[in-house]
Structure formats: C-alpha cells, structure tokens
Amino acid sequence: DAGVIQSPRHEVTEMGQEVTLRCKPISGHDYLFWYRQTMMRGLELLIYFNNNVPIDDSGMPEDRFSAKMPNASFSTLKIQPSEPRDSAVYFCASSPSLSGNTIYFGEGSWLTVV
Amino acid sequence: GDSVTQMEGPVTLSEEAFLTINCTYTATGYPSLFWYVQYPGEGLQLLLKATKADDKGSNKGFEATYRKETTSFHLEKGSVQVSDSAVYFCALRLGTYKYIFGTGTRLKVLA
C-alpha cells in the first residue's frame, strides 16, 4: 500500500524564486493536509482540503503561499516569491473520510531558501 | 486558545531505562489525543491514540492514558531501546479534522 508521496524531497532555491511542492495522497482518502515544521514553531497546519475543496486555510502565512487540489490524487503548495524564512520541512498528510481515523504523513519536502 | 504543551527535550536515557514524556493540553470540548513519532528524515507516524477520558492507548511497549481531570496524556515506556530514539509529538484533534501538535520532544537512547 503506497503511502502519501511528496516531491521534491529536498529543494534548495534562491530568494525570490517560485517553489512548488507536490503531494499525492493515499488513494481513497478524502482529506488532505499541508503542514509546515520549523524548529521555532513546531508543526503548523497551513491548509486542509475535503474532497478537493479547501476547508480551512487560516494557517497559510501570507499571500505568497497558495495551495490547490485539482483532483483527488494531487495537490500542490506554491510559494511565490520565496523568502529565507520559508525554509522548513513541509509535510503533506491525508486521512479517510470517517470520523475517528488518523492522518497519515508523507516523508516531507525539505525546503531551503538562500 | 486550544493548545498542546510538551516537556522540552532533549531527553537522554540509557537503554532499558524508564521513559516518561509529559503532555498537557488545553481544549474546548472533548478532543481525541494522539502520540506521533518521527524518525530521522521521515514523516510522522501514529504511535498511539485515545479518544475519550480514561482510555489507554498502547503500541510497541509505549502507553498513554487520557486523563481529563489533569488534562494530560503522558507517554510512558518501561524499557527503552536505542531504536526508540526519535522525536515524539503529542497532538489533539478537535471536531473531525483539526489537529494541533505540540512542539515535539527529542529522545536519545544510549547503548
């Protein structure tokens, strides 16, 4: 059973460049989450989707961040323009639709903005 | 607001020592509680969970009891191994899908 798949695993980019992170949730999971992990702030929920529709994006830090889910098997998190303070590990996670289920995390995308 | 507080790490123990990682929470309503573990270079994996007061979650020798009266969900293991070295996250879930994570506690077990 394939888990949540994220790409790229590692990205180093220059300040001002656009960054796109990708996620393929577990098949059949109706919920998809994007989290950001930093040493200072720990694990923060950025946004989550239900059936491809964004439900809560209150954690998205600012307009430079955007997320889309064009279909049930793919989501992107885009940062444009990127800044050094965006350096973090970005996790995608997914969950089945039934209440009581847990969420399953991908291995993360390690972003460094220089 | 709703939050999870974990003891600061790192926690360094010798193999076979007893482990406790404290976790307390603040929440409106009746959250479900979780412990996740993150091994180096990997994502978070569910370790155990409890969905109501007095429930005990257990897995791989770890256990935690949902204590509503003290709003706590402390993680314990009787005898740690080097392979348990990882970062441990306490989390709560409000409603259906809003998860709030603690900042994580790094555990290092020495042979």
Side-chain angles (χ1 to χ4, degrees):
Chain A
D1 222 7
V4 176
I5 300 172
Q6 293 187 243
S7 64
R9 286 296 312 276
H10 299 272
E11 172 121 4
V12 180
T13 191
E14 292 186 346
M15 184 172 66
Q17 296 298 306
E18 177 180 291
V19 174
T20 300
L21 308 178
R22 297 173 179 80
C23 175
K24 176 178 167 56
I26 295 172
S27 177
H29 284 195
D30 292 340
Y31 286 81
L32 183 140
F33 306 80
W34 282 101
Y35 283 87
R36 177 171 67 175
Q37 183 181 39
T38 62
M39 289 293 291
M40 293 297 294
R41 301 172 68 95
L43 204 61
E44 305 171 275
L45 176 64
L46 300 178
I47 186 171
Y48 79 90
F49 296 82
N50 177 214
N51 292 323
N52 314 338
V53 176
I55 303 300
D56 184 351
D57 65 354
S58 59
M60 294 286 265
E62 49 198 274
D63 292 346
R64 297 184 298 106
F65 285 68
S66 62
K68 294 182 181 179
M69 192 166 185
N71 58 61
S73 59
F74 183 66
S75 176
T76 60
L77 178 68
K78 189 172 292 187
I79 308 171
Q80 167 62 21
S82 58
E83 297 182 3
R85 61 192 168 119
D86 302 329
S87 298
V89 184
Y90 291 82
F91 287 103
C92 179
S94 70
S95 182
S97 60
L98 295 176
S99 176
N101 277 291
T102 56
I103 57 176
Y104 298 83
F105 285 81
E107 294 185 329
S109 291
W110 300 63
L111 174 65
T112 302
V113 183
V114 297
Chain B
D2 305 310
S3 65
V4 174
T5 302
Q6 290 182 236
M7 62 188 290
E8 286 195 20
V11 174
T12 303
L13 296 173
S14 298
E15 209 164 22
E16 299 183 4
F18 185 86
L19 169 71
T20 299
I21 300 178
N22 290 340
C23 171
T24 57
Y25 67 89
T26 303
T28 52
Y30 304 96
S32 296
L33 301 174
F34 303 81
W35 278 100
Y36 278 80
V37 58
Q38 183 181 28
Y39 298 102
E42 298 184 12
L44 281 71
Q45 304 171 27
L46 176 66
L47 181 59
L48 54 85
K49 67 179 181 181
T51 58
K52 61 183 188 296
D54 300 326
D55 269 2
K56 177 185 282 189
S58 61
N59 186 27
K60 300 180 181 180
F62 291 89
E63 59 181 35
T65 302
Y66 189 143
R67 301 285 188 202
K68 187 180 174 186
E69 63 276 13
T70 55
T71 62
S72 65
F73 192 55
H74 304 322
L75 182 68
E76 297 181 336
K77 186 176 186 183
S79 176
V80 294
Q81 305 300 313
V82 172
S83 57
D84 294 326
S85 299
V87 182
Y88 293 81
F89 292 87
C90 184
L92 64 83
R93 185 182 69 215
L94 294 165
T96 309
Y97 285 101
K98 188 172 178 67
Y99 285 80
I100 296 173
F101 286 83
T103 53
T105 302
R106 182 175 301 276
L107 170 66
K108 181 183 283 189
V109 181
L110 305 175

